[in-house]
Amino acid sequence: MVQVGGDPAPQDVARRLREGMARGVLSFPLTAFHDDGTLDPDGLRTHVAGRLAAGPGAVFPACGTGEFFSLDEDEYRTVVTVAVEEAAGRVPVVAGTGYGWAQAARFARIAEEAGADALLVLPHYLTEAPQDGLAAQLEQLAARTRLPMVAYQRGQVAYTAGTLRRIARIPNVIGVKDGHSDLDRLQRLTLAAPDGFLFFNGAATAEIQARAYATVGVPAYSSAVHAFAPEIAGAFFTALRDEDHGTVDKLLRAFYVPFVELRDRAPGYAVSLVKAAARLRGQPVGPVRAPLADPSPADLADLKALLTAGLDLVGASL
């Protein structure tokens, strides 16, 4: 963890994240469970090590794909600790936190103790809130953690340009992850932000909209596909970076669009399909926890066929 005088230096963490975003996707590892639903630290370590070996720009444990919403505090500590140990300073580790600011601060303290470099602040629980409340949520959390924070706008959290200016003045808020895919709103936010403020595309299956996000100055993105097929995720990232639109279109048509269509068959498939695909690749990640549910046998068969075809496109195999 980059520190000055014992505290994380937000601008140093932001710089490391910016550099990482330029060289690879942002990886959101899965949380491994045993068949009985208990945490599987060994499976988690194997999975995280594999994601890191594939060269991401940063790793984000215990976030949405990692089923943060299903973890207790002890499990969360284990998940973040394993990620920090496996990363060993090679890339930034950004741990998820969320719920109301009081509970988010408890998770933030655990992330600090585990050695995380920063926090991804997930949308608060359940209720809608005005812009003043959205900003105050981050201000209250920032007053209780030393870690730099990236705010995630999705669901009931959607910042205006005025709120963006307010939260950007919080010393340890260094960026925004966007999950709304409202490019008009996002362009207004990027124009309102100070120099050096980070933005990245956090839409579900972000590759689908990666080119569109780049047109408003947000080329970086998170990749759930990296959790199970880093070969596909890496090929797409390289083609997009090199403006190889033929390869981008081929991967979108043959893999990403069909994957999204499969993902949309049932609620929660944005996580459970990813975990099922990882199991098809032999990764010891186990099942999802309720209230999520694993894919039906028919959907699992379709996933296997699609994954096989997608890997074949990039010269890899199941």
Side-chain angles (χ1 to χ4, degrees):
M1 180 165 56
V2 178
Q3 295 189 347
V4 175
D7 290 335
Q11 294 313 309
D12 286 342
V13 175
R15 174 187 54 78
R16 292 179 65 210
L17 281 169
R18 188 176 300 106
E19 292 171 352
M21 289 173 178
R23 66 171 181 263
V25 300
L26 303 176
S27 182
F28 284 66
L30 299 156
T31 296
F33 298 119
H34 294 292
D35 288 342
D36 64 0
T38 57
L39 187 68
D40 179 1
D42 293 336
L44 172 67
R45 190 175 295 277
T46 297
H47 173 69
V48 171
R51 301 320 93 203
L52 287 162
V59 63
F60 288 66
C63 293
T65 305
E67 298 179 78
F68 166 79
F69 47 83
S70 292
L71 300 176
D72 67 26
E73 293 179 12
D74 289 339
E75 293 168 333
Y76 176 86
R77 183 184 300 275
T78 298
V79 169
V80 178
T81 297
V82 166
V84 169
E85 290 174 351
E86 290 301 315
R90 291 175 290 168
V91 298
V93 175
V94 184
T97 189
Y99 306 113
W101 60 257
Q103 182 61 53
R106 292 174 64 94
F107 282 108
R109 283 194 295 274
I110 295 170
E112 286 184 28
E113 293 164 0
D117 295 286
L119 299 168
L120 178 65
V121 184
L122 303 171
H124 62 270
Y125 173 67
L126 189 61
T127 189
E128 295 182 356
Q131 292 294 310
D132 281 349
L134 297 180
Q137 162 86 342
L138 294 174
E139 290 166 346
Q140 292 286 349
L141 179 56
R144 292 164 173 79
T145 181
R146 300 178 296 109
L147 293 179
M149 304 189 305
V150 175
Y152 189 5
Q153 63 163 13
R154 184 172 180 169
Q156 69 270 36
V157 177
Y159 302 119
T160 64
T163 301
L164 189 284
R165 294 186 188 98
R166 177 175 166 181
I167 67 174
R169 290 194 294 269
I170 303 170
N172 52 341
V173 173
I174 61 173
V176 165
K177 176 185 179 184
D178 176 71
H180 283 293
S181 305
D182 180 340
L183 297 185
D184 179 283
R185 176 188 290 269
L186 184 59
Q187 183 71 91
R188 294 168 190 263
L189 296 185
T190 62
L191 293 173
D195 290 344
F197 198 77
L198 302 176
F199 288 91
F200 65 92
N201 168 5
T205 318
E207 287 90 343
I208 289 286
Q209 300 182 66
R211 277 191 297 204
Y213 269 80
T215 66
V216 295
V218 183
Y221 60 91
S222 59
S223 177
V225 172
H226 193 268
F228 63 86
E231 305 95 329
I232 298 173
F236 185 91
F237 178 88
T238 299
L240 186 67
R241 180 196 61 197
D242 295 346
E243 298 184 352
D244 178 359
H245 296 297
T247 298
V248 169
D249 287 342
K250 178 178 72 173
L251 290 170
L252 287 174
R253 288 193 186 102
F255 177 75
Y256 283 100
V257 169
F259 181 76
V260 168
E261 291 171 348
L262 181 56
R263 184 200 72 198
D264 289 347
R265 289 184 187 176
Y269 268 17
V271 176
S272 56
L273 269 186
V274 171
K275 211 165 199 184
R279 292 195 301 272
L280 288 171
R281 300 295 307 278
Q283 296 179 40
V285 295
V288 293
R289 271 184 176 171
L292 299 180
D294 289 316
S296 69
D299 290 345
L300 188 60
D302 289 345
L303 175 63
K304 184 175 182 179
L306 175 59
L307 180 54
T308 300
L311 290 167
D312 185 63
L313 286 173
V314 298
S317 62
L318 192 63

